[in-house]
Amino acid sequence: MTNPYIKTALPGPNARAMLARDVSVASPSYPRDYPFVMSHGRGTEVWDVDGNRFLDFVAGIAVCSTGHAHPRVVNAIKAAADKFLHVSSDYWHENMTRLTERLAEVAPMGEPVMSFLCQSGTESVEGAIKLARYVTAVRDSSASSAASTDARWGRSRSRRASTRSRRASRRRCPA
């Protein structure tokens, strides 16, 4: 059976060349499960550096899954970049406060809520552990039970210490 969207054997020659370059200069702590080297994406589709076309089932890692290059998202990013590119959550800004207000408005709990905004599963679980320790006054590692068994939520040491999801991480970086 042939597939009109797959132009080369996988990974293709350009992807293999990138992987070979990467192995000596990038940290082995990145748990990469598949030899996919992205060229670009549009909507729910992605293309590798060899011109092979795929449906993207992982576009939501560390982001809201809006697809690739959606015009409204691109315009929102451009408008935000005109003001500033980054500010730590150690400081306040209008968009962050406005977002947490909106989340509080639509929260289905029927009581006042607070939000913890973060950029990754690692931050969210570590934030939950810190909050559990704060609320319960527990100061030892037993609060790490907030982590899920067999979860995949980041690359941090505490993630690896509190879940059994280590296989992919250990393949390249056994520490």
Side-chain angles (χ1 to χ4, degrees):
M1 183 171 120
T2 61
N3 184 324
Y5 302 111
I6 303 301
K7 311 289 184 198
T8 68
L10 300 175
N14 294 327
R16 286 194 307 273
M18 173 85 70
L19 298 172
R21 288 174 38 218
D22 181 82
V23 74
S24 65
V25 294
S27 171
S29 64
Y30 294 116
R32 295 171 171 155
D33 290 327
Y34 305 102
F36 174 73
V37 180
M38 186 164 172
S39 166
H40 65 282
R42 290 286 178 262
T44 60
E45 297 177 313
V46 292
W47 285 258
D48 73 6
V49 293
D50 292 291
N52 298 303
R53 180 176 165 189
F54 305 91
L55 284 176
D56 186 357
F57 291 105
V58 295
I61 295 175
V63 299
C64 177
S65 186
T66 59
H68 296 279
H70 189 285
R72 287 180 60 189
V73 175
V74 170
N75 288 334
I77 291 169
K78 287 178 180 178
D82 282 340
K83 294 179 181 179
F84 55 87
L85 289 177
H86 177 265
V87 64
S88 169
S89 59
D90 291 345
Y91 307 101
W92 291 263
H93 61 88
E94 176 62 32
N95 290 339
M96 186 172 178
T97 300
R98 188 176 335 123
L99 176 58
T100 55
E101 288 170 339
R102 179 69 180 126
L103 290 171
E105 289 172 12
V106 300
M109 284 67 105
E111 60 186 67
V113 297
M114 298 177 90
S115 295
F116 173 69
L117 304 178
C118 55
Q119 299 176 30
S120 68
T122 299
E123 283 183 287
S124 65
V125 174
E126 290 179 358
I129 291 168
K130 288 179 187 177
L131 183 59
R133 288 179 174 170
Y134 174 79
V135 169
T136 63
V138 173
R139 301 291 183 247
D140 64 25
S141 63
S142 64
S144 68
S145 63
S148 300
T149 300
D150 293 327
R152 175 68 177 97
W153 48 267
R155 298 183 178 109
S156 77
R157 194 79 163 150
S158 65
R159 185 273 301 179
R160 293 193 50 203
S162 60
T163 74
R164 293 192 316 228
S165 179
R166 301 179 188 177
R167 192 172 3 156
S169 294
R170 286 209 170 141
R171 245 192 324 262
R172 287 194 68 198
C173 186

